[in-house]
Amino acid sequence: MFDITADDISQLNDIELRELVGRLCEAELQRLVLSSASVTWGGNQTAADGGLDVRVALPKEISIAGFIPRSSTGFQVKKPDMPRASIIEEMRPRGVIRDVIQELANDAGAYIIISSTGSTADSALCNRKDALREGLNDVHNAELLHTDFYDRTRLATWTRSYPGLIAWVKKKI
C-alpha cells in the first residue's frame, strides 16, 4: 500500500527530516494557491540556525491554519526525542530566550518543534506543550505566540496529504 508511517519518518536522518518539513510547507502553500517563495530552509544542517530550521513568512494579512497555523511560523526540526528539559534548553540556551522566538511572539506567529524520534501519547504530548509554554516565561507577547509539538506520528499524518512526498520519503528510506 502507498502509505507512510511514523516508523518511516523515524528512519530519516537530520538533513532529510529538515528537507521533508521544508517540502511539506512548500506543498501546503501551493495547495492553498500561495507562493512557496514564503518558505525558507536549507543551508548546512550543522550551521547555527538561530533556533529555526524552516520558516514560513507570509504577508500578515494572509489567514492560514492547520499544520502551518500562522502566517509567520517557525519550525525547529530535531531527530532526537525532545522531552521537557530539552525543549526548554532549545528555546532558552543558557537561560536566554532565542531572538527568533521573541520575533515570532511579536508577530503573533507560531513556534513548532518537530521530533522524528518521539512518539508521544496524549499525556506526553501535553507535557511537551506545557514545556513550550514554560519556555516562554517572561517573554513579551508570549500570549500571542502559538506553540506546538509534532512527533513522528503527526509528521506522518501531514505527509500523507501529499502522495509525492510519500514517494520521496519511501525513496529516502
Side-chain angles (χ1 to χ4, degrees):
M1 181 169 177
F2 200 59
D3 194 17
I4 201 81
T5 67
D7 290 338
D8 294 329
I9 297 296
S10 71
Q11 293 179 51
L12 296 172
N13 66 36
D14 284 331
I15 294 167
E16 295 163 342
L17 183 62
R18 181 182 56 169
E19 186 172 351
L20 173 62
V21 173
R23 288 172 180 265
L24 282 165
C25 290
E26 289 173 351
E28 192 84 4
L29 294 186
Q30 289 168 357
R31 181 181 66 81
L32 297 170
V33 193
L34 297 169
S35 174
S36 58
S38 297
V39 180
T40 55
W41 57 281
N44 185 322
Q45 180 68 16
T46 59
D49 58 23
L52 295 182
D53 290 305
V54 178
R55 182 191 290 260
V56 176
L58 293 162
K60 289 184 188 257
E61 65 273 7
I62 300 287
S63 179
I64 193 166
F67 286 103
I68 303 173
R70 301 277 175 89
S71 60
S72 178
T73 298
F75 296 91
Q76 180 61 46
V77 183
K78 297 288 188 183
K79 174 85 176 150
D81 194 10
M82 295 289 289
R84 182 180 204 86
S86 298
I87 288 171
I88 293 170
E89 177 60 28
E90 179 61 38
M91 294 175 73
R92 303 180 78 93
R94 296 171 304 286
V96 178
I97 195 71
R98 289 184 184 273
D99 289 341
V100 72
I101 295 173
Q102 183 62 69
E103 291 168 18
L104 289 167
N106 291 343
D107 287 344
Y111 175 71
I112 299 168
I113 293 179
I114 298 176
S115 168
S116 68
T117 303
S119 181
T120 56
D122 188 59
S123 60
L125 177 60
C126 288
N127 189 29
R128 283 161 174 78
K129 288 181 176 185
D130 287 347
L132 282 158
R133 297 314 300 177
E134 183 181 328
L136 294 174
N137 185 29
D138 78 4
V139 170
H140 184 66
N141 293 322
E143 71 282 0
L144 301 177
L145 182 66
H146 174 86
T147 55
D148 208 341
F149 182 89
Y150 296 173
D151 67 359
R152 63 189 183 160
T153 301
R154 289 180 80 190
L155 200 52
T157 298
W158 191 6
T159 304
R160 281 193 289 273
S161 299
Y162 301 99
L165 289 176
I166 293 172
W168 182 88
V169 169
K170 291 292 190 181
K171 181 179 177 187
K172 292 295 179 182
I173 63 173

